Amino acid sequence: MINIDELKKKIIYRSIYRGTKEMDKLLGAFVKTYINELSADDLLKLEKLLDIDDSNLYNFLIGLETDVVIEKNKVTDLFKSFKYIDK
């Protein structure tokens, strides 16, 4: 059985400490927006999405070809439609 609170903490940390400042901001904002709306299964899918490197995630987001197969699911659909606004 997964500890949802621990999983959320791990996801939040991994979303804001990526390596590139741009993806830190983008993924941090995305996770902050949706983390409390996702089911346990969706959180696991989000964790899997965060395993993908920044360049492939960015290419996926803007519709370019990626070096990895990114599963189509609720989380990836939310990510593709997410509009980041720098505050």
Side-chain angles (χ1 to χ4, degrees), residues 4-64:
I4 297 298
D5 290 331
E6 288 299 316
L7 180 57
K8 284 182 178 182
K9 287 178 188 175
K10 180 180 176 183
I11 287 170
I12 290 167
Y13 181 85
R14 290 185 62 208
S15 72
I16 58 176
Y17 295 104
R18 300 282 306 175
T20 63
K21 185 176 179 181
E22 295 82 1
M23 287 305 280
D24 291 352
K25 287 183 171 187
L26 174 67
L27 286 169
F30 172 72
V31 167
K32 185 177 181 181
T33 300
Y34 292 109
I35 196 159
N36 291 317
E37 298 176 20
L38 299 174
S39 68
D41 185 54
D42 290 334
L43 289 171
L44 292 172
K45 289 175 180 165
L46 177 54
E47 182 182 36
K48 186 176 176 183
L49 183 71
L50 293 175
D51 286 339
I52 299 168
D53 65 275
D54 287 354
S55 62
N56 277 308
L57 273 181
Y58 184 73
N59 286 347
F60 173 73
L61 180 66
I62 63 171
L64 296 178

